[in-house]
Amino acid sequence: MRRSEHMLAGLALVAGLAQPVAADAPRRVVSINLCTDQLAMMMAAPGQLVSVSNLAADPYSSAMAKEAEAYPVNHGLAEEVFLMRPDLVLAGRYTAKATVDLLERLGVPVVTLEPARSLSEIPDHIRIVGGAIGREAEAEALVARFEADLAALSVPEDQVLPLAALYYANGYSLGSNSLAGQVLEAAGYRNAAAEAGLAGGGNLPLEVLIMAMPDLVVRGTPYPGRSRSEDILTHPALDALGQGVAAPDLSDNDWICGTPQVIHALRGLVDTRKALEKAGS
C-alpha cells in the first residue's frame, strides 16, 4: 500500500473525524513542533487546528508535508503565535524554551510533548495530544489501528534475524535506545550499531560497519545541495555490502517522530527482510 493510501486508510478509520469540536475542547490550536503538528493533523476537528510549524511542510522532515499545505505555518515565535489567539499551543520538549516560557507568562496554555524514543511510547503520545485537543475517541481509534498494524508485522520468535544498520551523514548511526533503532528491530533485524556498542545515537566508523558485514544498510536521505558530511553515504564500500537486495525506499521523516507513520517504515523493512530471506534460501 502506498504511503498516501495508508494514511488515508488510517484517517478513515478514526471515528468521528468530521465531527465538530466538543464544547469544552480548545477551539484554536496552534502547533509549534514537528511531531505535535502531525498528531494534531491526524486528530483535530475541522477548523480546530489553525497553524502548524514550518517544518510540517518540509518533505525532508515531515511525513505529512502534503497535508500540512492546508494549514498556515508558523515559525515558533512567541509574538507570532500569540497573535493567532490560540487557546492551546502544542510544543515539544526541545521547542524554543523562550517561546514556551513567554506564551505561558501571557496566559496561553501549552502542552509539551517529550520526544518518542520507543514504539511503546507512540500510543501514549497519541492519547496525550488527543486528550489535549478534546479528541479522545479519535485518539483511541488511532491507537487501535496502530497497535493492530504493529501486531500484524510481528516477527516469529524463532526467526533467524539478518543484520542491518542505519547509516547517516558523518557515519552517524542509531542503536536500540532510539525510535528508529526499535523500528529496525521490530521489523526483524539485528542492529549493527547496537552490536558495536551504541545504545542511542553516535558515530559508527565505516571500517567497523564494513567488518560487521551487515545484510542491509539503510542510508540517510541526502539533502539538497549536499554537504561533505554526506560523502560517506556514497562510499563504494557500502555498495559492496548486503546480498544484492535493494534497501527499502524509506525517508528519514518516517521515524523522526513517534506517530503511526512509523508503520510505513516497518512495512518497507519487513518486505526487504523477506526478500533477503528469499535471496539467501
Side-chain angles (χ1 to χ4, degrees):
M1 183 180 289
R2 293 194 303 270
R3 176 183 306 196
S4 58
E5 293 171 342
H6 170 63
M7 185 59 67
L8 289 173
L11 294 178
L13 289 182
V14 178
L17 188 62
Q19 295 302 310
V21 182
D24 58 347
R27 294 181 175 273
R28 293 186 61 80
V29 177
V30 173
S31 173
I32 58 175
N33 171 265
L34 173 64
C35 301
T36 58
D37 291 336
Q38 295 176 76
L39 290 171
M41 284 190 285
M42 291 179 184
M43 292 182 282
Q48 184 184 24
L49 181 62
V50 298
S51 178
V52 295
S53 79
N54 60 306
L55 287 177
D58 176 9
Y60 287 93
S61 302
S62 173
M64 297 181 66
K66 188 67 176 177
E67 291 83 350
E69 293 176 2
Y71 300 90
V73 300
N74 66 76
H75 299 82
L77 303 176
E79 302 89 336
E80 172 191 33
V81 173
F82 183 74
L83 290 174
M84 293 178 177
R85 298 178 291 108
D87 45 16
L88 177 68
V89 171
L90 299 173
R93 176 57 59 196
Y94 298 108
T95 299
K97 189 175 186 300
T99 294
V100 173
D101 288 347
L102 182 53
L103 289 171
E104 290 179 332
R105 292 207 307 272
L106 291 170
V108 178
V110 179
V111 170
T112 300
L113 197 68
E114 297 286 344
R117 292 188 172 88
S118 68
L119 287 168
S120 63
E121 292 177 3
I122 293 177
D124 293 337
H125 283 205
I126 294 171
R127 291 184 174 111
I128 288 169
V129 173
I133 65 176
R135 303 286 281 176
E136 291 86 354
E138 289 73 17
E140 290 305 321
L142 201 56
V143 167
R145 173 61 185 264
F146 170 72
E147 291 181 338
D149 287 343
L150 192 60
L153 295 169
S154 62
V155 181
E157 291 186 5
D158 59 349
Q159 180 78 48
V160 176
L161 306 182
L163 183 66
L166 304 168
Y167 215 53
Y168 301 94
N170 281 328
Y172 188 81
S173 191
L174 292 158
S176 301
N177 190 24
S178 67
L179 180 59
Q182 288 211 354
V183 170
L184 189 70
E185 292 170 10
Y189 296 85
R190 291 156 40 228
N191 188 330
E195 295 191 1
L198 286 180
N203 182 264
L204 183 64
L206 182 60
E207 296 83 356
V208 174
L209 178 62
I210 293 169
M211 290 179 66
M213 293 294 291
D215 302 292
L216 177 71
V217 178
V218 180
R219 310 183 204 189
T221 305
Y223 277 69
R226 295 287 299 274
S227 69
R228 291 184 65 184
S229 67
E230 294 177 325
D231 287 349
I232 196 170
L233 301 179
T234 58
H235 196 287
L238 289 181
D239 295 329
L241 295 174
Q243 299 180 12
V245 174
D249 181 19
L250 301 179
S251 299
D252 297 340
N253 61 32
D254 287 321
W255 43 32
I256 288 176
C257 291
T259 78
Q261 184 61 28
V262 300
I263 294 296
H264 176 260
L266 263 169
R267 282 202 176 101
L269 287 166
V270 167
D271 289 345
T272 301
R273 175 174 54 75
K274 292 176 178 177
L276 284 168
E277 293 166 356
K278 185 176 180 180
S281 62

